[in-house]
Amino acid sequence: MNAPIFWRLSLAALLVSACDNPVGTDGGVDAGEVADSATPDGGPADAGPDGGEGPIDGGPECGDGVVQGSEVCDGDCPTTCDDATACTADELTGSAEECSAVCSSTPITSCQDGDGCCPGGCDVTTDDDCSASCGNGTVEAPETCDGDCPTSCDDAMACTTDTLVGAASSCSAECSFVSITACTDGDGCCPSGCNATTDDDCSASCGNSVVEAPETCDGDCPTSCDDTLACTTDTLVGSASSCSAECSFVAITACTDGDGCCPGGCNATTDDDCSPSCGNSVVEAPETCDGDCPTSCDDTLACTTDTLVGSASSCSAACSFVAITACASGDGCCPSGCTAATDGDCTPTTVNLTNFASGVTAVNHPAGAGVYGTWYDSTHNTFGGPATGTLEGMPAMAIDDGGFANGVYAIYSGAVPATGNYRVEVRMHVVEMAPDINGIRAYQVGVATGASAVHRGAGTTLLAGLPTAGDYATMTTADDTALGPITVTTPVFAATAGDDVLIGFGTDVTSGTWTVNSTTWDDMTDPGPGAYVLVGDVMLVPVP
């Protein structure tokens, strides 16, 4: 109730009551009595000439309908009291029978529930007869605020939706804090029952049996690792207590023996865990080839039998080269131990016809074989004067016979080892000393084989010429000693296996006049050193 209106109504009621029941100022008139202004002593008023007053001689009479004397009512006495003002206490005192009934209205000032009055200073919180009054600074139901109404709402809790409802003008403003229960990304809240996989506002929580990044496991963490693959290194990293346990399976790429793995790019030659694989272009035992398998065999060696064994499809193809050991003509091979005489495929070898290391040996002379130490001197038909000397540190034959038909020769029986082409090579040195510095103007080595290798006769001035000869080159009319040792080589000639070979030395063995280019020689001792020829080993050399 509005307080100023309440007080105005209460004051009016009091004034009405005062007018209906005047109270004497001298204290002699009781409540309800009517004071007669003409009787200052307070006695009964006399009846006035207007009939309004009772007779002054009989006193007041209750029931005569006239309020007299001490009467406060007469015939119109109230039986109940209600000034229609909620905030006065209306009371009936006295009685109608005694004409003393009177109503009194006392203002209600105390806050009391249920009396229908809301005195000034009271409100709904102290008196349930009051109505809520927005703006009185007191929150009264159903008000939610009064003077302290919120203008915004924030409970600083991420998991509530904060809303301002009502209005300050109606004292109904209040904050609504509704709990968030839905798993929603980006609202800053992680409600109960949500996790980082269903709501990105949640943090990973190890132990909630949900694998949330960066977790690798949660409740199902591995304790050991084995992917049953030979070519991975299996390692347990992290820990179950931090939900970071996981298996690391690193591919093995290195070719390593004994690790049970054969990585790509490895093979049995680089990793003993690999098995041979025919077709990988790598020869792995027991393969003999792979991608390069032979289809035919030829080692270009005459003395092997070449055979292809195995097959390319199984990487077992290989060439077998078996050495030929038998001496057999026509197979193109001359095995070790075979000669041109036992195997027609053998190439003749160089033959040392005479070795002067053991002295000058006589062979097949007319005077008979077996005479040691001389060659045949055709001029004298004897085993004449050749002797030994030294040529380049090796024993050599020294020819110093300067007679008219000077020349020496020897015949080697059956010396040709095989049919073919040959030449003769002899290391020689012509020495000319005073007084014979021009004693020798030319010198040759000659050769005859087969039917031509026969005795040239005895005591003749002309010997039969030899068909092939090689010259000691560049000789002059002066002293030729300074020319030094020279290898004299004959032209190539053909010979048949088993032929005899005649080797002859002279100044011109092809003409038959073996001394045509020579003066008379002075021998090495009589009357003193003159001219001579040193002859080294005589070699019969095959020519391919």
Side-chain angles (χ1 to χ4, degrees):
M1 177 182 291
N2 192 291
I5 296 175
F6 168 78
W7 287 112
R8 285 196 295 272
L9 292 175
S10 299
L11 181 59
L14 291 174
L15 291 175
V16 170
S17 176
C19 291
D20 290 340
N21 302 287
V23 179
T25 61
D26 59 358
V29 182
D30 294 331
E33 295 182 340
V34 177
D36 188 349
S37 60
T39 58
D41 56 0
D46 294 334
D50 56 3
E53 295 178 353
I56 62 173
D57 57 351
E61 182 180 352
C62 183
D64 61 2
V66 177
V67 178
Q68 306 174 52
S70 61
E71 296 176 339
V72 293
C73 63
D74 194 328
D76 59 354
C77 292
T79 57
T80 61
C81 297
D82 185 1
D83 63 2
T85 302
C87 282
T88 57
D90 301 335
E91 183 181 5
L92 177 65
T93 61
S95 65
E97 293 79 6
E98 298 177 356
C99 291
S100 61
V102 63
C103 289
S104 64
S105 299
T106 303
I108 297 173
T109 60
S110 63
C111 304
Q112 183 174 342
D113 294 338
D115 62 0
C117 173
C118 177
C122 298
D123 56 50
V124 173
T125 64
T126 57
D127 191 330
D128 64 5
D129 298 297
C130 296
S131 299
S133 177
C134 185
N136 64 355
T138 301
V139 179
E140 306 157 292
E143 293 176 344
T144 58
C145 62
D146 197 321
D148 60 350
C149 294
T151 57
S152 62
C153 299
D154 184 359
D155 62 0
M157 299 180 66
C159 284
T160 58
T161 300
D162 304 339
T163 308
L164 178 63
V165 296
S169 61
S170 61
C171 290
S172 61
E174 64 179 328
C175 288
S176 170
F177 302 108
V178 179
S179 294
I180 297 173
T181 59
C183 304
T184 305
D185 293 342
D187 61 1
C189 171
C190 177
S192 176
C194 299
N195 56 64
T197 66
T198 58
D199 191 329
D200 65 6
D201 299 294
C202 297
S203 298
S205 176
C206 185
N208 65 353
S209 298
V210 178
V211 179
E212 306 155 291
E215 295 176 345
T216 58
C217 60
D218 199 318
D220 58 350
C221 295
T223 56
S224 62
C225 299
D226 184 359
D227 61 1
T228 71
L229 299 176
C231 284
T232 59
T233 299
D234 305 338
T235 308
L236 176 65
V237 296
S239 67
S241 61
S242 62
C243 291
S244 61
E246 63 179 330
C247 289
S248 169
F249 303 108
V250 178
I252 296 174
T253 57
C255 305
T256 304
D257 292 342
D259 62 0
C261 170
C262 178
C266 300
N267 56 64
T269 67
T270 58
D271 191 328
D272 64 6
D273 300 292
C274 298
S275 298
S277 176
C278 185
N280 65 354
S281 298
V282 178
V283 178
E284 306 155 293
E287 295 176 345
T288 58
C289 60
D290 198 317
D292 58 349
C293 295
T295 56
S296 61
C297 298
D298 183 0
D299 61 2
T300 71
L301 300 176
C303 285
T304 58
T305 299
D306 305 339
T307 308
L308 177 64
V309 295
S311 67
S313 61
S314 62
C315 290
S316 62
C319 287
S320 169
F321 303 108
V322 179
I324 297 173
T325 58
C327 303
S329 298
D331 60 2
C333 170
C334 178
S336 175
C338 299
T339 66
T342 59
D343 190 328
D345 299 294
C346 293
T347 300
T349 58
T350 298
V351 178
N352 188 346
L353 295 177
T354 182
N355 182 358
F356 296 118
S358 57
V360 179
T361 302
V363 290
N364 196 22
H365 291 159
V371 180
Y372 182 81
T374 63
W375 274 42
Y376 180 66
D377 184 339
S378 60
T379 302
H380 301 102
N381 195 24
T382 64
F383 294 97
T388 59
T390 301
L391 176 62
E392 298 177 316
M394 298 294 291
M397 181 173 64
I399 301 173
D400 64 355
D401 186 350
F404 174 73
N406 180 46
V408 294
Y409 65 88
I411 299 175
Y412 298 89
S413 178
V416 177
T419 300
N421 295 323
Y422 296 87
R423 65 173 175 260
V424 171
E425 294 182 1
V426 183
R427 192 73 170 162
M428 301 171 64
H429 187 194
V430 172
V431 179
E432 296 177 307
M433 303 178 67
D436 294 329
I437 60 174
N438 190 24
I440 305 174
R441 298 179 185 175
Y443 207 77
Q444 293 181 321
V445 57
V447 58
T449 62
S452 299
V454 294
H455 180 49
R456 270 16 194 185
T460 61
T461 58
L462 293 177
L463 299 178
L466 301 180
T468 305
D471 293 318
Y472 190 96
T474 67
M475 292 188 68
T476 68
T477 58
D479 185 358
D480 294 315
T481 304
L483 293 176
I486 295 175
T487 298
V488 178
T489 302
T490 69
V492 176
F493 56 87
T496 303
D499 278 355
D500 295 341
V501 178
L502 184 152
I503 301 297
F505 294 97
T507 58
D508 191 352
V509 298
T510 60
S511 66
T513 305
W514 287 34
T515 58
V516 68
N517 291 315
S518 175
T519 63
T520 300
W521 291 8
D522 187 10
D523 61 30
M524 299 174 65
T525 59
D526 182 20
Y532 61 93
V533 180
L534 289 173
V535 177
D537 291 352
V538 180
M539 310 299 291
L540 180 63
V541 181
V543 178

